[in-house]
Amino acid sequence: MASIYKRTENGTTASITRAEGLAEINNAMMGVGRRQVRTMSSITRTDYDIEYKDGRHVRLALTDAPAPEGFTQGQAVLVQRPGQAPRAGTVAHIHTAPGYVAVLDDKYRSVSSYPTRFVAAVESEKDSPEELAEKPPARPNIQTHAGTVHAPGRYDKVLKTEAPKCCASRSALLRYHYLVPVDVPVTCRRCLAGLAKEASRS
């Protein structure tokens, strides 16, 4: 859980990062700023009361960072960073740095903090357990370095990625420079033919 410092100077309170609070404490205690300090006392192990010679009275109190407005833990969100494909995830924990929200990525299961302007809540209707059981899991299409979009194929447990459906083999993973999951229509003719054949069978 992230923490911040509440800095109160002559009755005016503001939130600063933990690093900024510790920097002021260290400067007043051991740095060049100690010459400007009249008195300094520790309220707790992390909180301090500083009185400067110029008349400023500063109190630094460590506290939990406030939750980002409009987000709750476990909430489904979509991260849209400039120039990158959107990523789906859920809010990992609500106490983080001011102006940021921690998101657990649905695909990679990793937690990263993003500015709140890049994160949007996802409104989704809840399906019944029966409907969820009937629905196959959604899998994104695959784009290769050449720009061609393929249908997803077999997942390789060793290389931990998917080969295109038109050539679902490990050699395909080595042949392409990179494979990027995308949410755009398939453009590969072989994949489209295979998908049409599967649709005709069902």
Side-chain angles (χ1 to χ4, degrees):
M1 185 177 294
S3 300
I4 61 171
Y5 266 101
K6 290 288 186 182
R7 185 181 186 275
T8 305
E9 180 178 338
N10 296 339
T12 304
T13 303
S15 297
I16 60 175
T17 64
R18 185 170 184 172
E20 291 171 334
L22 291 174
E24 182 169 2
I25 292 168
N26 290 335
N27 185 56
M29 187 184 298
M30 297 174 290
V32 294
R34 70 181 182 276
R35 296 173 185 165
Q36 303 168 357
V37 175
R38 186 184 307 278
T39 61
M40 181 176 182
S41 58
S42 59
I43 304 166
T44 65
R45 189 172 57 86
T46 57
D47 302 353
Y48 289 85
D49 193 271
I50 307 170
E51 186 179 349
Y52 291 95
K53 292 179 180 178
D54 59 6
R56 291 179 297 139
H57 182 231
V58 176
R59 184 187 179 103
L60 292 160
L62 189 67
T63 182
D64 291 332
E69 188 176 350
F71 295 99
T72 57
Q73 190 166 343
Q75 180 182 15
V77 293
L78 194 68
V79 179
Q80 179 64 72
R81 291 184 293 180
Q84 296 189 18
R87 288 189 173 185
T90 55
V91 178
H93 50 81
I94 56 177
H95 292 290
T96 184
Y100 287 79
V101 58
V103 178
L104 173 65
D105 192 284
D106 283 350
K107 180 178 181 182
Y108 300 105
R109 309 307 298 171
S110 59
V111 177
S112 302
S113 293
Y114 300 97
T116 52
R117 66 181 181 275
F118 295 155
V119 184
V122 176
E123 298 294 336
S124 58
E125 298 179 0
K126 292 185 177 178
D127 296 323
S128 65
E130 294 78 13
E131 291 175 336
L132 290 173
E134 292 176 0
K135 286 184 178 180
R139 295 164 65 193
N141 295 325
I142 301 169
Q143 185 172 359
T144 64
H145 70 285
T148 307
V149 180
H150 300 264
R154 188 174 61 211
Y155 183 79
D156 191 292
K157 294 183 179 179
V158 177
L159 297 175
K160 298 187 183 304
T161 187
E162 284 184 300
K165 191 173 190 65
C166 61
C167 47
S169 65
R170 186 172 298 188
S171 62
L173 301 177
L174 302 175
R175 181 163 62 252
Y176 292 114
H177 292 178
Y178 59 81
L179 304 170
V180 181
V182 292
D183 294 325
V184 294
V186 175
T187 58
C188 171
R189 288 180 295 177
R190 292 178 65 186
C191 287
L192 287 171
L195 292 172
K197 191 179 292 185
E198 288 181 4
S200 64
R201 291 173 185 169
S202 58

